[in-house]
Amino acid sequence: VRRVAVALLHHPVLGRGGEVLTTTLTNLDLHDMARSVRTYGLQALYAVHPYPSQRLLAERIRRHWVEGAGGKRIPDRAVALAVLEIVPDLTQACARLGGEQVELWTTAARATASPVTRYADARRALEGDGPPVMLCFGTGWGLAPALIERADVRLEPIHAARDSAYNHLSVRAACAITLDRLFG
Ligand code: SAM
């Protein structure tokens, strides 16, 4: 089976005005996405942040739950948070997962000009052999377009079968739904 991991990017992502910026960490994202990554048996959750102070914070959160008092009190959280790895950029996340041949797969609520891959096709691609896959999720107003454009696979946006005219999920919900569609 292919090695698959999730990357949670705080840069390069969009801001409200469409500018590329860096967002701050959200504690809840780390907890919820680690639980999903652990549940679906993926390799790791990479929290990607360019600022050393933010990486330090993520490391402290991880340590508290995996080795510290938190993990002793709530052991099932320790098991989940153990999948968390903290890296400064996507290149380092890919290096840890499997070197240069890692495929980048992106997610987005909005359709892009470039072609997208249906979940059924993506699921089939993951069943066979192939290079490792990094599933990328954005914060802020979503992954920067340049990253989406250079991705090997752009997953189709998640939306309801009925027309609800809205599909802006939290990154935590989008991650859980994506993993269930691909591995559930
Ligand atoms: N502040 C928000 C929060 O509370 O999570 C951040 C939203 S962030 C733009 C949401 C990320 O989740 C996107 O970058 C994308 O990775 C994913 N996402 C959200 N809605 C989605 C959808 N309908 N289909 C696919 N991915 C989606």
Side-chain angles (χ1 to χ4, degrees), residues 107-109 137-143 157-158 167 169-172 174:
T107 56
F137 291 87
T139 54
W141 266 255
L143 296 169
I158 296 163
N167 75 337
L169 296 162
S170 73
V171 69
R172 303 167 296 281

Side-chain angles (χ1 to χ4, degrees), residues 106-170:
T106 54
T107 56
R110 267 179 226 94
T112 51
S114 312
V116 295
T117 300
R118 311 289 304 254
Y119 281 95
D121 296 330
R123 194 181 165 101
R124 223 168 294 122
L126 292 171
E127 281 163 6
D129 288 331
V133 170
M134 188 68 79
L135 279 173
C136 302
F137 291 87
T139 54
W141 266 255
L143 296 169
L147 176 59
I148 294 177
E149 292 309 314
R150 76 175 170 93
D152 299 289
V153 167
R154 283 165 292 275
L155 289 171
E156 62 176 324
I158 296 163
H159 53 73
R162 63 173 65 181
D163 183 13
S164 65
Y166 187 90
N167 75 337
H168 298 283
L169 296 162
S170 73

